[in-house]
Amino acid sequence: MSDLRLFTPLSLGDLRLNNRIVMAPMTRNRASVDHIPTEHMALYYAQRASAGLIITEGTSPSINGEGYARIPGIWNEEQILGWRKVTEAVHDRGGKIFVQLMHTGRISHRLNMHEGALIVAPSEVRAKGNMRTDQEGGQAHPVPYAMTEGEVHDAVLEFVQAATNAITAGFDGVELHAANGYLIEQFIRPTTNQRTDAYGGTTEKYAHFALEVARQVAEAIGKDRVGIRLSPYGEMNDMPYQPEFDEIYRYLADQLGEYVTYIHLINASEGEGYTALRQYVRQVFPGILILNRSYTKERAEEDLQNGAADLISFGTPFIANPDLPERFEQEAPLAEGDPSTFYSPGEKGYTDYPKLDEE
């Protein structure tokens, strides 16, 4: 097994990763109702510390970004202290961990948010579909409030403060969530961005918010501690794809090398368009490339061997297999997770999956 690239170390900035297996960010809704990380979360991530890199679930950088029930935040002192228990638990087991900063933007509901929070977006474009709430079940997404230019600047600063808070909490770095239909991607996509000011209307302006967040976060905590996640062909959260969007993502790929140490690319399509865009990113981006989407160990190894990526991220397999790298290395069977407990509160289906030597 020693010749498999999956198990070779890699330098990510100043960090030395023990292997090339990344735990992808996955919302699990196990924070408190006040969006504070819990003891269960510390155990959950510590159990998975053998990953070369852990990227946490999406974590709100501000009061306005916490649109789901029981997702964590990192904008107040209690949240920072809660996350510190997580990072210490992971580091005690030799792991490395980045926090994913996820502002939900229009994908929100007031019942999931602190009093006084606003549901904001680049433009007043309501998302199709429902948002799950603990109090009233599924509720239609509301029409979001269109941010003023001053409020856009404030949102950038919220990301910067959240990144600074993350370092205070002991994280090795942050990943900016610019995928899956959340706020940063809402600025990137003309689907949700109808602005005609500095933040919309042309390729460069659609990319402006993402690049400004990346630039200022890098200035605050260092480029080597910043990554970004993109889903160019993704349609999650009512974000229909159009071919002309490729120009925006190519422009982002051209520019992001100045500000981030890695791009985490979600493969939401097996078509020629995505393949060409992925190859373009690989060609022009000078940093680390992480690929994600339903990988098996064999496909992951193939893409590492052929140079398509430097790291491969795995999501769902890490839910039921806290020791996923060890199972891969030993060619052991993988356990299956229970989808009914993926987003429910409590320990069941969260920290109670055994390791291979505990079965």
Side-chain angles (χ1 to χ4, degrees):
M1 301 293 292
S2 60
D3 60 338
L4 293 184
R5 289 185 65 80
L6 270 173
F7 306 109
T8 59
L10 180 74
S11 293
L12 180 67
D14 293 335
L15 296 178
R16 180 173 173 81
L17 309 185
N18 292 328
N19 56 60
R20 299 180 184 231
I21 299 168
V22 176
M23 179 177 168
M26 292 179 286
T27 292
R28 301 303 309 278
N29 300 96
R30 260 46 178 221
S32 75
V33 294
D34 290 325
H35 304 276
I36 299 169
T38 63
E39 298 281 355
H40 293 325
M41 290 170 61
L43 175 58
Y44 169 77
Y45 285 113
Q47 289 172 335
R48 290 153 179 80
S50 63
L53 176 66
I54 292 172
I55 306 171
T56 75
E57 64 214 274
T59 300
S60 177
S62 73
I63 190 173
N64 292 340
E66 55 189 27
Y68 289 98
R70 292 172 277 107
I71 65 167
I74 194 163
W75 52 269
N76 68 32
E77 188 64 27
E78 285 184 283
Q79 293 165 347
I80 295 170
L81 293 174
W83 276 122
R84 186 173 294 151
K85 295 177 182 177
V86 175
T87 61
E88 288 175 352
V90 170
H91 290 150
D92 285 347
R93 298 197 185 189
K96 305 293 189 299
I97 183 167
F98 274 40
V99 62
Q100 187 189 66
L101 300 181
M102 178 183 79
H103 191 306
T104 56
R106 70 176 187 156
I107 305 302
S108 305
H109 196 277
R110 61 178 179 78
L111 292 176
N112 295 334
M113 306 168 79
H114 277 81
E115 185 176 354
L118 293 175
I119 298 173
V120 299
S123 305
E124 292 182 354
V125 181
R126 183 203 296 265
K128 296 177 183 177
N130 291 339
M131 169 60 70
R132 172 71 188 177
T133 71
D134 288 338
Q135 301 92 327
E136 299 180 12
Q139 297 291 309
H141 290 293
V143 176
Y145 166 73
M147 305 162 74
T148 67
E149 279 202 63
E151 289 163 338
V152 175
H153 298 158
D154 290 343
V156 173
L157 297 179
E158 290 171 350
F159 275 99
V160 173
Q161 185 60 58
T164 303
N165 292 347
I167 302 306
T168 300
F171 281 103
D172 298 300
V174 306
E175 177 177 281
L176 305 175
H177 198 352
N180 294 354
Y182 300 118
L183 184 68
I184 297 179
E185 189 173 71
Q186 290 165 27
F187 274 93
I188 292 171
R189 298 280 191 103
T191 309
T192 44
N193 185 347
Q194 300 176 354
R195 303 176 74 97
T196 57
D197 60 5
Y199 292 94
T202 68
T203 292
E204 294 78 9
K205 290 179 179 180
Y206 289 125
H208 186 180
F209 183 72
L211 293 174
E212 190 63 14
V213 171
R215 180 183 69 81
Q216 292 201 33
V217 168
E219 289 175 354
I221 67 171
K223 170 185 169 181
D224 285 351
R225 291 179 167 184
V226 185
I228 192 168
R229 197 176 208 213
L230 301 172
S231 55
Y233 277 60
E235 298 190 344
M236 183 176 172
N237 286 319
D238 189 25
M239 298 291 277
Y241 165 78
Q242 297 176 25
E244 54 266 32
F245 296 173
D246 285 5
E247 181 180 348
I248 303 170
Y249 284 98
R250 289 193 182 97
Y251 179 75
L252 282 167
D254 291 337
Q255 303 297 316
L256 281 168
E258 295 290 323
Y259 312 124
V260 303
T261 191
Y262 74 73
I263 291 177
H264 189 180
L265 202 61
I266 303 174
N267 176 8
S269 167
E270 297 295 340
E272 294 181 2
Y274 168 79
T275 299
L277 187 57
R278 173 181 59 77
Q279 291 172 343
Y280 183 83
V281 173
R282 189 58 163 161
Q283 177 184 352
V284 303
F285 179 67
I288 297 296
L289 180 60
I290 307 173
L291 293 184
N292 168 267
R293 194 62 171 187
S294 303
Y295 270 99
T296 62
K297 183 186 78 172
E298 291 73 23
R299 285 187 54 239
E301 181 63 26
E302 180 181 350
D303 273 358
L304 291 173
Q305 291 283 358
N306 66 27
D310 302 294
L311 297 164
I312 302 293
S313 70
F314 297 83
T316 305
F318 262 112
I319 292 177
N321 300 275
D323 55 347
L324 185 66
E326 290 84 352
R327 290 182 186 244
F328 279 167
E329 194 160 16
Q330 297 175 39
E331 299 185 349
L334 300 185
E336 294 292 329
D338 176 7
S340 70
T341 62
F342 282 1
Y343 309 109
S344 59
E347 295 180 70
K348 183 174 175 55
Y350 190 57
T351 57
D352 56 352
Y353 289 107
K355 293 186 176 181
L356 194 60
D357 58 9
E358 298 169 342
E359 293 181 343

